[in-house]
Amino acid sequence: MNLLVRLARFVKIEHSVFALPFAYMGMLWHAQPWPGWRVFGLLTLAMVMVRAFAMGINRIVDRHIDAQNPRTQNRELVTGALSLPQAAGFVAGCAVLFVGACAGLNRLCLALAPCALAWSAFYSFTKRFTSACHVVLGSVLGLAPIAGWIAVAPEWHPAPVILGVAVALWVAGFDILYACQDEDFDRQMGLHSIPADFGIPAALLVARLLHAVAAVLFALAGWAAGAGWIYAACVAVVGGVLWAEHRVVTPQDLSRVNLAFFTMNGCVAIALAAGAVVDLLW
């Protein structure tokens, strides 16, 4: 298999759909509506690289745990599809490209780049000592709209911050759903998560509450950014998708967790970004 394909699978490049649309929303809300191809290209490179860096660190740090979990035994560092030096070199390259992209944007982005790398790497260690690991992961992706905003110009505004909090709660909610698959394994290994520490029924309740608050904040962020009725309509659709997500995953049936995790939440990110774009252009 081609090395680039293996590396793309290693970091699940398709999961960029969870953060990239929100970075674009922050960018477009600030630029009203277009900042130019340079900012767009550098922001895209920065977001893809920092997400790949974070996922790569996670895979490297967790490789021994992944080897013992039947659900993750096909991951590249476990099967030998990638060697540890290859993975480490790729992660280092992503970090360099991320810093370079930030340097090309503005001084504030460059100054914050090491902090972003450190925080995104920190997540991988949190399940070893706290069930709040889901919130930490959410906070990493919650930086996306703020990054998009300051990529245009280093200025303060509440809209990307509110959107960032919404994204953090949304991600934490669906990560809790995803972690339900590993409830028994995590408990046996002494790892922490909401499902492992409090049980699946409580975990699903927490996820529902997080998503309910996130839906409200998605709407509030649009109001703060001056978005109109088209964006508001998309938020309503997203609220329906989140409601449906919690209908397909129950304590008695976790078979559709992957549907809820990737497909439905990917639709949430794309729908909100599309709503923001159309609203700006209308």
Side-chain angles (χ1 to χ4, degrees):
M1 187 188 304
N2 185 280
L3 178 60
L4 289 178
V5 174
R6 281 179 280 149
L7 289 170
R9 291 184 178 179
F10 171 60
V11 297
K12 289 191 174 294
I13 197 69
E14 66 275 12
H15 285 189
S16 297
V17 72
F18 295 133
L20 201 51
F22 294 104
Y24 291 152
M25 286 175 66
M27 176 191 75
L28 296 172
W29 276 351
H30 194 175
Q32 293 287 335
W34 185 243
W37 287 105
R38 184 187 67 83
V39 171
F40 174 81
L42 289 172
L43 175 64
T44 301
L45 178 61
M47 291 301 302
V48 172
M49 288 300 103
V50 73
R51 201 214 65 84
F53 168 84
M55 181 64 82
I57 290 290
N58 182 264
R59 293 294 190 256
I60 291 171
V61 168
D62 284 355
R63 64 190 187 281
H64 300 303
I65 296 172
D66 290 342
Q68 300 177 66
N69 187 343
R71 188 180 63 80
T72 58
Q73 287 176 346
N74 64 342
R75 288 179 175 172
E76 287 72 17
L77 284 177
V78 177
T79 64
L82 282 179
S83 67
L84 184 58
Q86 285 175 321
F90 174 73
V91 167
C94 289
V96 170
L97 288 172
F98 170 69
V99 173
C102 290
L105 287 167
N106 56 60
R107 291 182 179 179
L108 179 60
C109 290
L110 177 59
L112 294 176
C115 300
L117 289 173
W119 189 247
S120 62
F122 172 66
Y123 156 71
S124 295
F125 299 93
T126 54
K127 65 184 178 183
R128 289 161 172 79
F129 60 86
T130 178
S131 57
C133 53
H134 316 284
V135 178
V136 177
L137 175 62
S139 70
V140 173
L141 274 73
L143 295 175
I146 300 172
W149 185 276
I150 66 173
V152 177
E155 299 170 350
W156 155 259
H157 195 279
V161 177
I162 297 170
L163 183 58
V165 175
V167 171
L169 298 181
W170 166 65
V171 171
F174 73 67
D175 190 59
I176 291 171
L177 296 182
Y178 192 72
C180 287
Q181 300 174 104
D182 294 329
E183 177 203 17
D184 292 335
F185 176 80
D186 287 348
R187 193 175 290 126
Q188 292 167 11
M189 295 293 292
L191 300 173
H192 295 277
S193 70
I194 298 292
D197 289 355
F198 302 101
I200 289 178
L204 296 183
L205 175 60
V206 171
R208 283 196 294 270
L209 292 174
L210 290 174
H211 280 172
V213 176
V216 173
L217 291 178
F218 283 138
L220 185 59
W223 173 80
W229 69 268
I230 295 177
Y231 175 77
C234 287
V235 171
V237 171
V238 162
V241 171
L242 292 175
W243 176 83
E245 181 176 332
H246 291 279
R247 299 286 293 177
V248 303
V249 179
T250 67
Q252 297 76 31
D253 183 8
L254 299 176
S255 63
R256 290 177 286 185
V257 164
N258 284 326
L259 168 66
F261 173 73
F262 184 73
T263 306
M264 300 182 79
N265 284 295
C267 290
V268 166
I270 293 170
L272 285 172
V277 170
V278 175
D279 191 81
L280 283 169
L281 298 175
W282 188 259

